[in-house]
Amino acid sequence: ISNYVMLELGQPTHTYDLNLVEGSILGVRLAKADEEIVTLDDQKRSLSEADMAIIDGNDTVIGVAGVMGGASTEINDNTTQIVVEAAIWDRLTTAKTARRLNLRSEASTRFERGVDPLGVERALERFCELAADICGATVADVSIVEDGAGHTAASVDVRPERVSMYLGHEISASDIKSLLDPIGYATTDGGNTLSVAIPSWRPDSSIE
């Protein structure tokens, strides 16, 4: 189900066997130097103080944030309760950890490229919907949300004459608007300049 949600919505999620999570608590902190974890691929890995770790109630590392979960809390045939984690992890930190550990995953690739910061809860809801429909799961009526830095909506001023100069072809404000609006950018015509609101799912867009 996690893979399906990631392919459908672009948001990685991770599941833990709740009965194997000490204290039924998930926490986040920077790893300690040479702290170890056996990841889902059954490899023992040594972390550094630059890596972000998922921990349990005993402060034991049970996952490498944004990259891969740990084998100690893996879902198995005897699992009866799960907890689902959906998060946004820093792109640069994730990339450095994956490279240093030589541990590339589909999730780390997604986080490195940037995922929609406003799509986390939607992905969690979709996971629960599929778990109920496909597996007959009973979904808890509560979720825990911890906000980090949050998302700040961004907009960029775009000058049609500047765009025309770069393209080597004359393009008008109305042309730009007709191209951007259908793919999620909201444009407002201010005369000689367009104000373009950047969609939350386009971290690659930041300049004119």
Side-chain angles (χ1 to χ4, degrees), residues 21-188:
V21 177
E22 291 294 333
S24 299
I25 292 173
L26 293 180
V28 181
R29 64 165 169 78
L30 288 172
K32 301 169 186 175
D34 297 323
E35 199 165 20
E36 294 184 333
I37 179 177
V38 177
T39 46
L40 287 172
D41 57 359
D42 291 324
Q43 298 295 311
K44 181 182 286 188
R45 302 181 186 277
S46 180
L47 305 180
S48 78
E49 294 172 316
D51 301 322
M52 193 65 68
I54 308 295
I55 57 171
D56 62 15
N58 282 344
D59 198 34
T60 301
V61 179
I62 58 175
V64 183
V67 182
M68 187 174 288
S72 64
T73 55
E74 184 178 6
I75 304 299
N76 59 70
D77 291 340
N78 298 317
T79 298
T80 58
Q81 292 182 299
I82 68 170
V83 60
V84 185
E85 166 235 306
I88 297 291
W89 301 112
D90 180 71
R91 298 167 64 180
L92 188 57
T93 300
T94 302
K96 288 181 177 179
T97 294
R99 188 178 304 111
R100 193 184 63 77
L101 295 177
N102 192 26
L103 180 60
R104 304 283 299 185
S105 65
E106 183 68 25
S108 69
T109 300
R110 301 270 177 166
F111 286 124
E112 288 175 36
R113 293 175 179 173
V115 298
D116 184 358
L118 301 184
V120 179
E121 291 186 59
R122 180 177 67 228
L124 185 59
E125 290 170 0
R126 180 58 170 155
F127 182 100
C128 293
E129 179 183 44
L130 291 173
D133 290 346
I134 298 172
C135 307
T138 300
V139 180
D141 59 1
V142 62
S143 62
I144 299 172
V145 179
E146 290 289 340
D147 289 329
H151 172 71
T152 302
S155 63
V156 175
D157 289 336
V158 176
R159 297 161 292 177
E161 70 274 13
R162 189 74 171 175
V163 177
S164 298
M165 183 193 74
Y166 280 121
L167 294 178
H169 175 77
E170 191 71 25
I171 186 168
S172 67
S174 60
D175 290 333
I176 295 173
K177 182 175 177 62
S178 69
L179 292 169
L180 292 180
D181 283 355
I183 58 173
Y185 294 81
T187 59
T188 303

